[in-house]
Amino acid sequence: MPNKHRLHFSKTGSARYISHLDLMRTFQRAFLRAGLTIRHTEGYHPHAFVSLPLPLSVGFSSVCETLEFELLGGGALEEVPERMNAVLPAGITVQRCYEAVRPVKDLAYVDYVVTLEYESGAPFGAERAIQTLLAREQLLVDKKSKKAAGGLVQVDIIPLIARSVCEERRDTITLELVLRAQNPGLNPELVVAAIRRECPEVTPDYISFHRRQVLDGQFQPWE
């Protein structure tokens, strides 16, 4: 039986706005164009066995994305990045192809950089207000849930934040956040939603989200 393989890739620039499903289709087409044979389902309508262990929200950039698949035919893994990059759209770049060893369940945390931008400069006291907010013992936010009767469920996000660093500059506030990845995971958009609700005076004019590393339970790189 073929071994499972992984691509380590970045998603930046205009590629940030490619949705999860479109990204899956993009990679499936790229494998075909690159002349790489991957495992498919059997039957009249075969589908490629590709998956993204930790889908990225639309609009987020990242330098640490992972795609799982099964390469057939015994091709050299070191050749895959160059062949894929020749046919992938701008903003999606494969850095490595390797055999999957660690299970997805070991993926425990994600390291994000969230940048809050202000056209007229960061409000006075913004950094302290955010630090105080994230230092609370409890911080409830509404999260969408298909299982909840009203479509929303309240979640305490404080236990899901492993690390937070807030740094204020002239026109920006940068949040470095290490958040739970799964079971349950925390989207940094919920952290920003809490800031908007609890500290409306520091609501930014523009926000960018960047994923820079995925980590295991010991805060070491997962791959």
Side-chain angles (χ1 to χ4, degrees), residues 55-118:
L56 190 68
S57 297
V58 174
F60 285 31
S61 62
S62 174
V63 292
C64 60
E65 294 307 285
T66 301
L67 179 89
E68 292 196 332
F69 65 105
E70 290 184 7
L71 182 66
L72 305 179
L77 299 186
E78 59 269 20
E79 296 177 0
V80 172
E82 182 178 358
R83 293 172 66 173
M84 291 294 285
N85 290 334
V87 295
L88 283 166
I92 300 177
T93 305
V94 176
Q95 283 87 27
R96 292 194 304 120
C97 178
Y98 57 98
E99 288 194 10
V101 177
R102 303 190 66 179
V104 172
K105 67 179 182 180
D106 285 355
L107 200 166
Y109 297 97
V110 186
D111 185 346
Y112 290 98
V113 175
V114 181
T115 305
L116 313 180
E117 299 185 20
Y118 302 87

Coordinates of all heavy atoms in Angstrom, one line a residue, residues 55-118:
P55 N -7.6 23.4 7.7 CA -7.9 24.4 6.7 C -7.7 25.8 7.2 O -8.0 26.1 8.3 CB -9.4 24.0 6.4 CG -9.6 22.6 6.8 CD -8.6 22.4 8.0
L56 N -7.3 26.6 6.2 CA -7.0 28.0 6.5 C -8.2 28.9 6.1 O -8.8 28.7 5.1 CB -5.8 28.5 5.7 CG -5.2 29.8 6.1 CD1 -4.5 29.8 7.4 CD2 -4.1 30.2 5.0
S57 N -8.6 29.8 7.0 CA -9.7 30.7 6.7 C -9.4 31.6 5.5 O -8.3 32.0 5.3 CB -10.0 31.6 7.9 OG -10.4 30.9 9.0
V58 N -10.4 31.9 4.7 CA -10.3 32.8 3.6 C -9.8 34.1 4.0 O -10.3 34.7 5.0 CB -11.6 32.9 2.8 CG1 -11.5 34.0 1.7 CG2 -12.0 31.6 2.2
G59 N -8.8 34.7 3.3 CA -8.2 36.0 3.7 C -7.0 35.9 4.6 O -6.2 36.9 4.7
F60 N -6.7 34.7 5.2 CA -5.5 34.5 6.0 C -4.3 34.2 5.1 O -4.5 33.4 4.1 CB -5.7 33.3 6.9 CG -6.6 33.6 8.1 CD1 -7.6 34.5 8.1 CD2 -6.4 32.9 9.3 CE1 -8.4 34.7 9.1 CE2 -7.2 33.2 10.4 CZ -8.2 34.1 10.3
S61 N -3.2 34.6 5.4 CA -1.9 34.2 4.7 C -1.2 33.2 5.6 O -1.5 33.1 6.8 CB -1.0 35.4 4.4 OG -0.6 36.0 5.7
S62 N -0.3 32.4 5.0 CA 0.4 31.4 5.8 C 1.6 30.9 5.1 O 1.7 30.9 3.9 CB -0.6 30.1 6.0 OG 0.1 29.1 6.6
V63 N 2.6 30.5 5.9 CA 3.8 29.9 5.4 C 4.0 28.5 5.9 O 5.1 28.0 5.8 CB 5.1 30.8 5.8 CG1 5.0 32.1 5.0 CG2 5.2 31.0 7.3
C64 N 3.0 27.9 6.4 CA 3.1 26.6 7.1 C 1.9 25.7 6.8 O 1.5 24.9 7.7 CB 3.3 26.8 8.6 SG 1.9 27.6 9.4
E65 N 1.4 25.7 5.6 CA 0.3 24.8 5.3 C 0.7 23.4 4.9 O 1.8 23.2 4.4 CB -0.5 25.4 4.1 CG -1.2 26.8 4.5 CD -2.0 26.6 5.8 OE1 -3.1 26.0 5.7 OE2 -1.6 27.1 6.8
T66 N -0.2 22.5 5.1 CA 0.1 21.1 4.8 C -1.0 20.4 4.0 O -2.2 20.6 4.3 CB 0.3 20.3 6.1 OG1 1.3 20.8 6.9 CG2 0.6 18.8 5.9
L67 N -0.6 19.7 2.9 CA -1.5 19.0 2.1 C -1.1 17.5 2.2 O 0.0 17.2 2.0 CB -1.5 19.4 0.7 CG -2.5 18.7 -0.2 CD1 -3.8 19.3 -0.3 CD2 -1.9 18.6 -1.7
E68 N -2.1 16.6 2.5 CA -1.8 15.2 2.6 C -2.3 14.5 1.3 O -3.4 14.8 0.8 CB -2.5 14.6 3.8 CG -1.9 15.0 5.1 CD -2.3 14.1 6.3 OE1 -3.4 13.5 6.2 OE2 -1.5 14.0 7.2
F69 N -1.6 13.5 0.8 CA -1.9 12.8 -0.4 C -1.1 11.5 -0.5 O -0.3 11.3 0.4 CB -1.7 13.7 -1.7 CG -0.2 14.0 -1.9 CD1 0.5 13.3 -2.9 CD2 0.4 14.9 -1.1 CE1 1.8 13.6 -3.1 CE2 1.8 15.2 -1.4 CZ 2.5 14.5 -2.3
E70 N -1.3 10.7 -1.5 CA -0.5 9.5 -1.7 C 0.1 9.6 -3.1 O -0.7 9.5 -4.1 CB -1.3 8.3 -1.5 CG -1.7 8.1 0.0 CD -2.5 6.8 0.3 OE1 -2.6 6.0 -0.7 OE2 -2.9 6.6 1.4
L71 N 1.4 9.7 -3.2 CA 2.0 9.7 -4.5 C 2.3 8.3 -5.0 O 2.8 7.5 -4.3 CB 3.4 10.5 -4.4 CG 4.2 10.7 -5.7 CD1 3.5 11.6 -6.7 CD2 5.6 11.3 -5.3
L72 N 1.9 8.0 -6.2 CA 2.1 6.7 -6.8 C 3.2 6.7 -7.9 O 3.5 7.8 -8.4 CB 0.8 6.2 -7.5 CG -0.5 6.2 -6.6 CD1 -1.7 5.7 -7.4 CD2 -0.3 5.3 -5.4
G73 N 3.7 5.6 -8.2 CA 4.7 5.5 -9.2 C 6.2 5.6 -8.8 O 7.1 5.6 -9.6
G74 N 6.4 5.8 -7.5 CA 7.8 5.9 -7.0 C 8.6 7.0 -7.5 O 9.8 6.9 -7.6
G75 N 8.0 8.2 -7.7 CA 8.7 9.4 -8.1 C 9.5 9.9 -7.0 O 9.2 9.7 -5.8
A76 N 10.6 10.7 -7.3 CA 11.5 11.2 -6.3 C 10.7 12.4 -5.6 O 10.3 13.3 -6.2 CB 12.8 11.7 -6.9
L77 N 10.6 12.3 -4.3 CA 9.9 13.4 -3.5 C 10.6 14.7 -3.7 O 9.9 15.8 -3.7 CB 9.8 13.0 -2.1 CG 9.1 11.7 -1.7 CD1 9.0 11.5 -0.2 CD2 7.7 11.6 -2.4
E78 N 11.9 14.8 -3.8 CA 12.6 16.1 -3.9 C 12.3 16.8 -5.2 O 12.5 18.0 -5.3 CB 14.1 15.9 -3.7 CG 14.8 15.0 -4.7 CD 14.8 13.5 -4.3 OE1 14.0 13.2 -3.4 OE2 15.6 12.8 -4.8
E79 N 11.7 16.1 -6.2 CA 11.4 16.7 -7.5 C 10.0 17.3 -7.5 O 9.7 18.1 -8.3 CB 11.5 15.7 -8.6 CG 12.9 15.1 -8.9 CD 12.8 14.0 -9.9 OE1 11.7 13.8 -10.5 OE2 13.9 13.5 -10.2
V80 N 9.2 16.9 -6.5 CA 7.8 17.3 -6.5 C 7.6 18.9 -6.3 O 6.8 19.5 -7.1 CB 7.0 16.6 -5.4 CG1 5.6 17.1 -5.2 CG2 7.0 15.1 -5.7
P81 N 8.3 19.5 -5.4 CA 8.1 21.0 -5.3 C 8.3 21.8 -6.6 O 7.5 22.6 -6.9 CB 9.1 21.4 -4.2 CG 9.3 20.2 -3.4 CD 9.2 19.0 -4.4
E82 N 9.4 21.5 -7.3 CA 9.7 22.2 -8.5 C 8.6 22.0 -9.6 O 8.1 22.9 -10.3 CB 11.0 21.8 -9.1 CG 11.4 22.6 -10.3 CD 12.8 22.2 -10.8 OE1 13.5 21.4 -10.2 OE2 13.2 22.8 -11.9
R83 N 8.2 20.7 -9.7 CA 7.1 20.4 -10.7 C 5.8 21.0 -10.3 O 5.1 21.5 -11.2 CB 7.0 18.9 -10.8 CG 8.3 18.2 -11.4 CD 8.3 16.7 -11.4 NE 7.3 16.1 -12.2 CZ 7.2 14.8 -12.4 NH1 8.0 14.0 -11.8 NH2 6.2 14.3 -13.2
M84 N 5.5 21.0 -9.1 CA 4.2 21.6 -8.6 C 4.2 23.1 -8.8 O 3.2 23.8 -9.2 CB 3.9 21.2 -7.2 CG 3.6 19.8 -7.0 SD 2.0 19.3 -7.8 CE 0.8 20.0 -6.6
N85 N 5.3 23.8 -8.4 CA 5.4 25.2 -8.4 C 5.3 25.7 -9.9 O 4.9 26.9 -10.1 CB 6.7 25.7 -7.8 CG 6.6 25.5 -6.3 OD1 5.6 25.5 -5.7 ND2 7.8 25.4 -5.6
A86 N 5.7 24.9 -10.8 CA 5.6 25.3 -12.2 C 4.2 25.5 -12.7 O 4.0 26.1 -13.7 CB 6.4 24.3 -13.1
V87 N 3.2 24.8 -12.0 CA 1.9 24.8 -12.5 C 0.9 25.4 -11.5 O -0.3 25.6 -11.8 CB 1.4 23.4 -12.9 CG1 2.2 22.9 -14.1 CG2 1.5 22.5 -11.7
L88 N 1.3 25.7 -10.3 CA 0.4 26.3 -9.3 C 0.3 27.8 -9.6 O 1.2 28.5 -10.1 CB 1.0 26.1 -7.9 CG 0.8 24.7 -7.3 CD1 1.6 24.5 -6.1 CD2 -0.7 24.4 -7.0
P89 N -0.9 28.4 -9.1 CA -1.1 29.8 -9.3 C -0.2 30.7 -8.4 O 0.3 30.1 -7.4 CB -2.5 30.0 -9.0 CG -2.9 28.9 -8.1 CD -2.1 27.7 -8.6
A90 N 0.0 31.9 -8.7 CA 0.8 32.8 -7.9 C 0.3 32.9 -6.5 O -0.9 32.9 -6.3 CB 0.8 34.2 -8.5
G91 N 1.2 32.9 -5.5 CA 0.8 32.9 -4.1 C 0.8 31.6 -3.4 O 0.8 31.5 -2.2
I92 N 0.8 30.5 -4.2 CA 0.9 29.2 -3.6 C 2.2 28.6 -4.0 O 2.5 28.4 -5.2 CB -0.3 28.3 -4.1 CG1 -1.6 28.9 -3.7 CG2 -0.1 26.9 -3.5 CD1 -2.8 28.1 -4.2
T93 N 3.1 28.3 -3.0 CA 4.4 27.8 -3.3 C 4.7 26.6 -2.4 O 4.6 26.7 -1.2 CB 5.4 28.9 -3.0 OG1 5.1 30.1 -3.8 CG2 6.8 28.5 -3.4
V94 N 5.1 25.5 -3.0 CA 5.5 24.3 -2.3 C 6.9 24.4 -1.9 O 7.8 24.6 -2.8 CB 5.2 23.1 -3.1 CG1 5.7 21.8 -2.4 CG2 3.7 22.9 -3.5
Q95 N 7.2 24.2 -0.6 CA 8.6 24.2 -0.1 C 9.2 22.8 -0.1 O 10.3 22.6 -0.4 CB 8.7 24.9 1.2 CG 8.7 26.4 1.2 CD 7.2 26.9 1.3 OE1 6.4 26.2 1.8 NE2 7.0 28.1 0.8
R96 N 8.4 21.8 0.4 CA 8.9 20.5 0.6 C 7.8 19.4 0.3 O 6.6 19.7 0.5 CB 9.4 20.3 2.1 CG 10.6 21.1 2.5 CD 11.2 20.6 3.8 NE 10.2 20.6 4.9 CZ 9.8 19.6 5.6 NH1 10.3 18.4 5.3 NH2 9.0 19.7 6.6
C97 N 8.3 18.3 0.0 CA 7.4 17.1 -0.1 C 8.1 16.0 0.7 O 9.3 15.7 0.5 CB 7.2 16.7 -1.6 SG 6.2 15.2 -1.8
Y98 N 7.4 15.3 1.5 CA 8.0 14.3 2.4 C 7.0 13.3 2.8 O 5.8 13.5 2.7 CB 8.6 15.0 3.7 CG 7.6 15.8 4.5 CD1 7.0 15.3 5.6 CD2 7.2 17.1 4.1 CE1 6.1 16.0 6.3 CE2 6.3 17.8 4.8 CZ 5.7 17.3 5.9 OH 4.8 18.0 6.7
E99 N 7.5 12.2 3.3 CA 6.6 11.1 3.8 C 6.0 11.5 5.2 O 6.7 12.0 6.1 CB 7.4 9.8 4.0 CG 7.7 9.2 2.6 CD 8.2 7.7 2.8 OE1 8.0 7.2 3.9 OE2 8.7 7.1 1.8
A100 N 4.7 11.3 5.3 CA 4.0 11.6 6.5 C 4.4 10.6 7.6 O 4.3 9.4 7.4 CB 2.5 11.6 6.3
V101 N 4.8 11.1 8.7 CA 5.2 10.2 9.9 C 4.3 10.5 11.1 O 3.7 9.6 11.6 CB 6.7 10.4 10.2 CG1 7.1 9.5 11.4 CG2 7.6 10.1 9.1
R102 N 4.3 11.7 11.5 CA 3.5 12.0 12.7 C 2.0 12.1 12.4 O 1.6 12.7 11.3 CB 4.0 13.4 13.3 CG 5.5 13.4 13.7 CD 5.8 14.6 14.5 NE 5.2 14.6 15.8 CZ 5.3 15.5 16.7 NH1 6.1 16.6 16.4 NH2 4.7 15.5 17.8
P103 N 1.2 11.6 13.2 CA -0.3 11.7 13.0 C -0.8 13.1 13.2 O -0.2 13.9 13.9 CB -0.9 10.7 14.0 CG 0.1 10.7 15.1 CD 1.5 10.9 14.5
V104 N -1.9 13.3 12.5 CA -2.5 14.7 12.6 C -3.0 15.0 14.0 O -3.0 16.1 14.4 CB -3.7 14.7 11.6 CG1 -4.5 16.0 11.8 CG2 -3.3 14.6 10.2
K105 N -3.3 13.9 14.8 CA -3.7 14.2 16.1 C -2.7 14.8 17.0 O -3.0 15.4 18.1 CB -4.2 12.9 16.8 CG -3.1 11.9 17.0 CD -3.6 10.6 17.7 CE -2.5 9.6 18.0 NZ -3.0 8.4 18.6
D106 N -1.4 14.8 16.6 CA -0.3 15.4 17.3 C -0.3 16.9 17.1 O 0.5 17.6 17.8 CB 1.0 14.8 16.9 CG 1.3 13.4 17.5 OD1 0.4 13.0 18.3 OD2 2.3 12.8 17.1
L107 N -1.0 17.4 16.1 CA -1.0 18.8 15.8 C -1.9 19.5 16.9 O -3.1 19.3 17.0 CB -1.7 19.1 14.4 CG -1.4 20.4 13.7 CD1 -1.8 20.2 12.2 CD2 -2.1 21.5 14.3
A108 N -1.2 20.3 17.7 CA -1.9 20.8 18.9 C -2.1 22.3 18.9 O -3.1 22.8 19.5 CB -1.1 20.4 20.2
Y109 N -1.2 23.1 18.4 CA -1.2 24.6 18.5 C -0.9 25.2 17.1 O -0.2 24.6 16.3 CB -0.3 25.1 19.5 CG -0.6 24.6 20.9 CD1 0.1 23.5 21.5 CD2 -1.6 25.3 21.7 CE1 -0.2 23.1 22.8 CE2 -1.9 24.8 23.0 CZ -1.2 23.8 23.5 OH -1.5 23.3 24.8
V110 N -1.3 26.4 17.0 CA -1.0 27.2 15.8 C -0.5 28.6 16.2 O -1.1 29.2 17.1 CB -2.2 27.4 14.8 CG1 -1.7 28.1 13.5 CG2 -2.9 26.1 14.5
D111 N 0.6 29.0 15.6 CA 1.2 30.3 15.9 C 0.8 31.3 14.9 O 1.0 31.1 13.7 CB 2.7 30.1 15.9 CG 3.5 31.4 16.3 OD1 2.9 32.5 16.4 OD2 4.7 31.3 16.6
Y112 N 0.1 32.3 15.3 CA -0.5 33.4 14.4 C 0.2 34.7 14.8 O 0.5 35.0 15.9 CB -2.0 33.5 14.6 CG -2.8 32.4 14.1 CD1 -3.3 31.4 15.0 CD2 -3.2 32.3 12.8 CE1 -4.1 30.4 14.6 CE2 -4.0 31.3 12.3 CZ -4.5 30.3 13.2 OH -5.3 29.3 12.8
V113 N 0.2 35.6 13.7 CA 0.4 37.0 13.9 C -0.8 37.7 13.4 O -1.2 37.6 12.2 CB 1.7 37.5 13.2 CG1 1.9 39.0 13.3 CG2 2.9 36.8 13.7
V114 N -1.4 38.5 14.3 CA -2.6 39.3 13.9 C -2.2 40.8 14.0 O -1.7 41.2 15.0 CB -3.8 39.0 14.9 CG1 -5.0 39.8 14.5 CG2 -4.1 37.5 14.9
T115 N -2.4 41.5 12.9 CA -2.0 42.9 12.9 C -3.2 43.8 12.8 O -4.0 43.6 11.9 CB -1.1 43.2 11.6 OG1 0.0 42.3 11.7 CG2 -0.6 44.6 11.6
L116 N -3.4 44.6 13.8 CA -4.4 45.6 13.8 C -3.9 46.9 13.4 O -2.9 47.5 13.9 CB -5.0 45.7 15.3 CG -5.3 44.4 16.0 CD1 -5.8 44.7 17.4 CD2 -6.2 43.5 15.3
E117 N -4.5 47.5 12.3 CA -4.0 48.8 11.7 C -5.0 49.9 12.0 O -6.2 49.7 11.9 CB -3.7 48.6 10.2 CG -2.7 47.5 9.9 CD -2.4 47.4 8.5 OE1 -2.6 48.4 7.7 OE2 -1.8 46.4 8.0
Y118 N -4.4 51.1 12.2 CA -5.2 52.3 12.5 C -4.8 53.4 11.6 O -3.6 53.8 11.5 CB -5.0 52.7 14.0 CG -5.4 51.6 15.0 CD1 -4.5 50.6 15.3 CD2 -6.7 51.5 15.5 CE1 -4.8 49.6 16.2 CE2 -7.1 50.5 16.4 CZ -6.1 49.6 16.7 OH -6.5 48.6 17.6

